[in-house]
Amino acid sequence: MTNIPKTIRENLHFLCAEIDGQLLQLEAFFKEPTAATARRIMDRAGYAHNLKTRIHTACLYQMGTAKKQNRKKLTLRSLEFIATDLQRLANLCRQCLRHVERIDQFSTLVPERYPALVTNVRTGVGKVEEALVKSDSETAISIGQQQDRIEAGYKKLFKTYTDEMRNPDKAPADIANSLLVASEFRRMGDSLKSISEALISANIGQAVNFERYFSLQNLMSDLEATGSDLKIETIAETRSGSSISAIRDRKTEAVAAVFKDGEKSKVKEERQGVESWHSIYPGLAPKILAYQKRNQSAALLIEHLPGLTFEHIVLNESDALCTQALRTLSKTLKDVWKQTKTKEPAGLGSMQQLSKRLGEVRRVHPEFRDSEINFAGARLTSLDKLIEKAAEREAHVAAPFSVYIHGDFNIDNIIFDPGENRIHFIDLHRSRYMDYVQDVSVFMVSNYRLQVLEQETRQRINTVSQAFFTSVRNFARKQGDATFEFRLALGLARSFATSTRFIFDKSHARRMWLRAQYLIEQALNCPLGDEARFRLRIKEIFVD
């Protein structure tokens, strides 16, 4: 662990001692409830708060001197979390006393059960400094494990109190306040677990929770290098709640594998998606090195794929490399679509998808709320009504065939290896047989929504989108897909509108929102039955 500045170490020592003292007083109160003991706890609120504030202030100062992405920053953040949760324990002690104060018949509380719970909390607090100074993850784990013991004690008390509710001699208010006291101890267990996770995170240089740590330990044992030879660094945190980390060899700095964890159902879908791609089109998806599930979470250890994301290439690399990557991507996609093509028609359903996500969009951008518009005495159709009408039209215009698609074809999920001139896909949990327009529209809009203002880069983004469209349109014509452009208009509208929920810049979001509305109106203006004659004005849509 990074060396801890003296002022932080000293204040943390005093804070641990202070919390232990307050817990000791609380234990004494349960054994012999006196006003003097309660007052000693209530009067100490300010000191614990001041110690926590000193630690936070010192951490903030130290973070200002730390280098970007320095491990020192993670340690300092962990120390802030530890101080906050320690002070929270002091607050919970006082909350217990406030609840007890409202209990008329003290025996209802069953006070003899509580000293053991206090001991569990004190045991956890007493190990904080040791786990921190010695960078001892085993000791840190034992702090979190106190939560299990506290939870067991809570469940026994809960059963006792709920059984007492049948006793007519017991006051319901006394039982209710007793339950509240037990609940405060349950929260103390949560705080100990949070402290444990902060300590482990500081030790391994990676923000983790209990579930993630055990998964990571088990999966890393499958790698050839030993744990001490490896280090972990965050690559990304997805909107679905998953975390993605690179596991590097300390000596060579080479990435040994990629670690991805999250909700068990999401990780399971990712695993199934990767396995499907291996059977359908080998070499496009990374290999799964190991899989681990624990309770409601799961984790994957995935082969590291060499290369650059398409997003990085568009924003940072040369025009020549960008052109090469786009050409290889187009060729790969056409090959995948040809090999996986089935005769089963595929509905896009983009307007249904948009309708379901309008609430999320408008929570981020309330200015997009639907309202009636009157112009020159005429009442214009609202966007929601336009979407309803477009959904009816779309339901009767399906792709003449299905292909296997990525399902989340954002440009940061595509990797190009210039050395091998190969494309790889990642984040495959939504892969399935469907209309290929789904991937096409997502790819084009994920380029457009990049929040860069530099004119030359914006021009490159537009060029990529237009070139990609031309390539795919040629594929559609060769495959006899006559309504490709009509369906793409609605697919782009869906992607433009729903992507605004990830855009904070109001002017950029509005440009995307207006493009969505324009595309829906253009599709609806196409006479019924003439969808095959519809033509997209791509240059107008993808020029700022």
Side-chain angles (χ1 to χ4, degrees), residues 309-311 408-415 426 446 449:
T309 66
F310 202 91
E311 177 178 345
D408 189 14
F409 208 49
N410 288 295
I411 55 176
D412 56 353
N413 287 333
I414 304 163
I415 295 175
I426 59 173
S446 69
R449 81 179 187 206

Side-chain angles (χ1 to χ4, degrees), residues 119-142:
T119 298
N120 293 142
V121 182
R122 288 186 65 203
T123 298
V125 173
K127 293 181 177 182
V128 170
E129 285 187 274
E130 178 188 351
L132 189 64
V133 174
K134 295 182 179 179
S135 299
D136 188 348
S137 292
E138 292 301 317
T139 301
I141 289 170
S142 69

